[in-house]
Amino acid sequence: PARRRRRAFSAAPQLHDMSTPLYEIHNLRQSYEKGRPNLDIAELSIDAGCVTGVVGPNGGGKSTLLKVLAFLIPASGEIIFDGRPAAGREREIRREVTYLLQESYLLKRSVFENVAYGLRLRGAEKRLIDTRVRESLEAVGLAPEEFASRPWYRLSGGEVQRVALAARLALRPKALLLDEPTANVDEASAQLVMEAAVRASREYGAAVIVSTHDTAWLYEIASNVVSLYGGRVAGTGAENIFRGGWHLEGGFMTRPFAGGQALFAWPGASARAAVLNPSDITVSDEIPPFAENMNVLRGVVSQLTLERASGAVLLSADVSGSVVKARLSAEDTARLSLRPSSEVFLSFSYSSLRWL
């Protein structure tokens, strides 16, 4: 039988029109089984050349969303990719999208051949393959002269993940999807993986979409953060989601914390979970004066992160064993002399809590 002719592989990546989103999602629903969908997203857009974070509890739909965006599983609704409807183009689009699993597996061959594999399938010339393999290994902190000829079985877990990422970077994809890419690797490898992902967005305009529990890093580098809960978009940015334990008491919905503190909210149609935007919280270093229908929580600062998307400081406070995030300016952070272990008081109105 005649061999299938390989499509020519261009040395230069085709740049996306940065004036339009790479992904536009409308009325997306996905379900593995009949009943409640794993994803139910009315609207969502993701830009090229940016890092987009996907956060939320386990089972919230993060991995499912990445698989849908990689066109690995079907979903109803409409996905527009690179300005055109994706329906009927899924096979074509898969050449422009690459997906890195939490636990990656390599082919039983050398590091060079693992990184070159996708390029060979696309018909790339030898000179381009050699260049891309070298550049991609360097991008993830693996010296080509030391690692290119090394077999797959002589790699640590962190090195396996970095080689797997290098193989994807070599393709110069329009979308790079990372599902918990640093969950099972050492700290040094995790840092190199994250730096390489950011470089991919900045140097050749990839839309990097990351699902991770390493939220401190994510808020530092992400242009946008999508918060998922129960398969729905709970908000964008570092939303606080308070699940379970809500009950009606004295005309208010109440959720106790350990240690005697509690949240209060106005009753709503659903009491599964409430969302609180960090920007709706006022941070002070002393107990604020009493105000009707206001929550006041005492906490201890556990982390301060510069949030790239807003240019503000994202404060994480331990409130009786639960983490509550607040957003404030760098000026207010300095004025209050905030640092890890500082005692703070977080105040916000009952009406700031939205029901999911």
Side-chain angles (χ1 to χ4, degrees), residues 4 73 84 97 102-103 123 135 155 175 189 238 269 280 285-286 292 336 355:
R4 183 180 299 169
I73 57 176
R84 296 167 52 201
V97 177
Q102 178 176 336
E103 293 186 12
E135 292 175 349
L155 299 172
S189 292
D280 291 333
D285 56 0
E286 56 185 23
E292 195 172 2
L336 295 169
W355 293 107

Side-chain angles (χ1 to χ4, degrees), residues 49-104:
C50 296
V51 178
T52 297
V54 183
V55 299
N58 292 335
K62 302 187 299 297
S63 294
T64 302
L65 176 60
L66 264 61
K67 290 175 184 175
V68 168
L69 295 178
F71 299 94
L72 297 176
I73 57 176
S76 63
E78 183 181 34
I79 299 178
I80 296 173
F81 183 85
D82 207 4
R84 296 167 52 201
R89 298 198 299 131
E90 290 86 356
R91 186 172 180 177
E92 168 195 339
I93 294 172
R94 287 190 197 108
R95 295 175 63 90
E96 309 287 353
V97 177
T98 187
Y99 179 48
L100 182 67
L101 297 167
Q102 178 176 336
E103 293 186 12
S104 296

Side-chain angles (χ1 to χ4, degrees), residues 22-38:
L22 183 63
Y23 286 95
E24 294 177 77
I25 289 174
H26 305 286
N27 301 315
L28 178 72
R29 289 173 68 90
Q30 198 285 331
S31 180
Y32 291 114
E33 299 176 355
K34 292 182 179 180
R36 183 177 165 190
N38 295 301

Side-chain angles (χ1 to χ4, degrees), residues 10 17 22 26 54 81 118 150 180 219 260 276 319 323 331 334:
S10 172
D17 180 1
L22 183 63
H26 305 286
V54 183
F81 183 85
R150 187 173 295 189
E180 297 287 352
Y219 296 135
L276 175 65
V319 177
V323 176
E331 292 76 15

Side-chain angles (χ1 to χ4, degrees), residues 252 264 266 289-296 348-351:
F252 305 107
F264 297 92
W266 298 115
F290 173 78
E292 195 172 2
N293 301 329
M294 289 289 292
N295 286 287
V296 177
F348 49 94
S349 67
Y350 295 0
S351 58

